[in-house]
């Protein structure tokens, strides 16, 4: 966003074109991750950029532009999104996402874990489906934080959630994507049959750690808790394996970068540059009128 803002301040047509190209890529990529449909993403990109034209020259810093742009894009995605319009908000508990005995044995086996295979071989389409299978409220936080790489504070500001709620939803979203990618990889490369799942009960200490894995990964637990978790993980192979699996899923999310059709984007930018120049001229007219 800093580069886009510098180009906007330059006020030259070629600079504005470059700035709009950066903003286009940002809005389109975000919209594809949230909506999952090219048509919705293109509609959102066009609507958001058209709405942004009168405001671009007014932003004083990149953070303000970032929060505003994503907030507008988020609202448009929610109204445009096809598959989620009638979806009911779903609460996902940690117990639903804790691995059973069979999955832990697979993670601890000497063969590559299913999600490691996913990292190497799954297509962008499989990742798209894994993200779209996350309930919308959790998906929005996942996309903003892990895929767009915004801070927890910025996600809270964009979504209107408390930072603690953002962290809770982020962790559950990561766990759901990890599970979806793992299941997708196992379906593509079936493992041994006949294994019986063990009960889901885990030692209470493991369960407490499981609830804090995302905070631990992101370095937002205090020193005392971090030391306690370090000790536990170093002595607990299942937790080591699961943490590695979760990190791999997050890395895969961060690697997903859908691209807008170049020709369509260029056509839209030509229209936007003209509108932006008109908007600047109108602002200058009002400034002179106020002075006189």
């Amino acid at each position: 966003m800093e580069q886009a803002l510098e180009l906007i301040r330059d006020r030259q047509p070629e600079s504005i074109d470059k700035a709009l190209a950066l903003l286009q890529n940002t809005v389109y990529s975000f919209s594809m991750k949230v909506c999952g449909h090219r048509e919705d993403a293109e509609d959102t990109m066009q609507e958001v950029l058209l709405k942004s034209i009168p405001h671009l020259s007014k932003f004083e810093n990149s953070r303000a532009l970032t929060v505003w742009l994503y907030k507008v894009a988020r609202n448009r995605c929610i109204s445009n999104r096809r598959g989620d319009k009638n979806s009911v908000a779903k609460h996902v508990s940690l117990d639903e996402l804790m691995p059973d005995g069979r999955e832990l044995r697979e993670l601890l086996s000497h063969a590559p874990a299913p999600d490691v295979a996913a990292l190497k071989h799954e297509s962008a389409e499989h990742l798209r489906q894994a993200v779209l299978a996350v309930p919308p409220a959790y998906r929005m936080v996942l996309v903003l934080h892990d895929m767009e790489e915004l801070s927890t504070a910025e996600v809270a500001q964009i979504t209107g959630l408390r930072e603690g709620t953002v962290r809770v939803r982020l962790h559950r979203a990561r766990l759901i994507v990890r599970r979806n990618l793992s299941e997708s990889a196992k379906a593509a490369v079936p493992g041994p049959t006949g294994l019986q799942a063990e009960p889901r009960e885990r030692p209470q200490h493991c369960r407490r750690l499981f609830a804090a894995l995302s905070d631990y990964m992101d370095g937002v637990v205090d020193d005392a808790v971090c030391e306690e978790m370090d000790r536990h993980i170093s002595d607990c192979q299942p937790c080591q394996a699961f943490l590695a699996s979760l990190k791999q899923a997050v890395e895969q999310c961060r690697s997903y970068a859908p691209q807008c059709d170049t020709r369509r984007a260029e056509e839209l930018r030509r229209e936007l540059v003209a509108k932006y120049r008109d908007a600047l001229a109108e602002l200058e007219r009002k400034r002179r009128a106020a002075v006189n």
Side-chain angles (χ1 to χ4, degrees):
M1 288 296 175
E2 186 64 44
Q3 183 182 359
L5 197 57
E6 289 177 3
L7 289 166
I8 289 166
R9 288 169 178 159
D10 190 38
R11 296 201 173 196
Q12 297 301 313
E14 61 274 15
S15 298
I16 298 303
D17 184 78
K18 291 177 183 177
L20 289 172
L22 291 172
L23 298 180
Q24 273 184 322
N25 289 337
T26 296
V27 175
Y28 179 82
S29 180
F30 167 75
S31 303
M32 270 297 291
K33 294 162 188 173
V34 173
C35 305
H37 298 278
R38 184 173 299 278
E39 294 85 354
D40 285 346
E42 289 181 350
D43 288 347
T44 297
M45 177 184 71
Q46 182 170 354
E47 291 169 17
V48 170
L49 290 180
L50 284 171
K51 187 172 183 178
S52 73
I53 288 297
H55 305 285
L56 289 178
S57 64
K58 302 176 184 178
F59 289 102
E60 296 182 356
N61 59 73
S62 58
R63 176 183 167 84
L65 175 58
T66 296
V67 170
W68 183 88
L69 192 71
Y70 278 109
K71 187 177 289 187
V72 175
R74 168 186 174 268
N75 292 339
R76 294 310 306 169
C77 282
I78 290 173
S79 62
N80 284 348
R81 207 161 48 205
R82 297 166 185 249
D84 298 329
K85 287 182 179 178
N86 299 317
S87 62
V88 178
K90 179 184 177 184
H91 171 74
V92 181
S93 72
L94 281 172
D95 285 338
E96 294 178 60
L97 300 170
M98 290 185 73
D100 58 26
R102 174 176 176 170
E103 182 171 7
L104 287 174
R105 290 200 305 276
E106 291 171 344
L107 289 172
L108 287 168
S109 69
H110 294 296
D115 36 315
V116 172
L119 267 175
K120 295 179 179 178
H121 302 296
E122 289 291 348
S123 66
E125 175 61 20
H126 286 158
L127 178 60
R128 187 181 77 91
Q129 293 296 339
V131 171
L132 288 177
V134 178
Y138 297 88
R139 187 193 319 153
M140 184 66 72
V141 170
L142 175 79
V143 171
L144 287 168
H145 190 282
D146 281 355
M147 305 178 87
E148 298 299 296
E149 300 190 52
L150 302 183
S151 68
T152 300
E154 288 170 332
V155 177
Q157 191 172 353
I158 291 164
T159 59
L161 300 170
R162 289 193 286 265
E163 290 189 30
T165 304
V166 169
R167 298 300 309 177
V168 168
R169 292 190 181 183
L170 175 65
H171 186 44
R172 283 162 172 73
R174 286 173 169 177
L175 294 171
I176 295 168
V177 168
R178 192 215 67 84
R179 181 187 63 189
N180 294 344
L181 289 173
S182 180
E183 291 175 351
S184 177
K186 283 187 285 188
V189 185
T193 59
L195 291 176
Q196 296 298 316
E198 295 175 0
R200 283 185 173 271
E201 288 79 6
R202 303 264 315 275
Q204 190 63 29
H205 200 112
C206 288
R207 193 177 186 285
R208 289 199 303 270
L209 178 139
F210 184 83
L213 278 179
S214 282
D215 288 348
Y216 177 78
M217 284 170 52
D218 294 346
V220 295
V221 293
D222 62 43
D223 291 343
V225 173
C226 186
E227 289 176 7
E228 181 185 1
M229 293 181 74
D230 282 342
R231 287 194 297 271
H232 176 87
I233 291 171
S234 66
D235 293 331
C236 182
Q237 288 188 333
C239 285
Q240 291 172 20
F242 195 84
L243 180 59
S245 174
L246 185 59
K247 287 180 177 178
Q248 289 158 4
V250 172
E251 289 170 5
Q252 191 170 358
C253 284
R254 288 174 177 159
S255 72
Y256 180 46
Q259 298 294 316
C260 181
D261 176 76
T262 303
R263 183 181 57 80
R264 177 73 186 94
E266 288 176 351
E267 290 174 357
L268 177 58
R269 281 204 307 280
R270 283 196 292 271
E271 298 174 17
L272 291 171
V273 168
K275 290 180 183 296
Y276 185 74
R277 294 173 69 178
D278 291 343
L280 286 180
E282 179 64 16
L283 286 173
E284 181 63 18
R285 187 191 66 76
K286 289 181 179 179
R287 186 189 68 79
R288 288 179 179 177
V291 170
N292 296 329

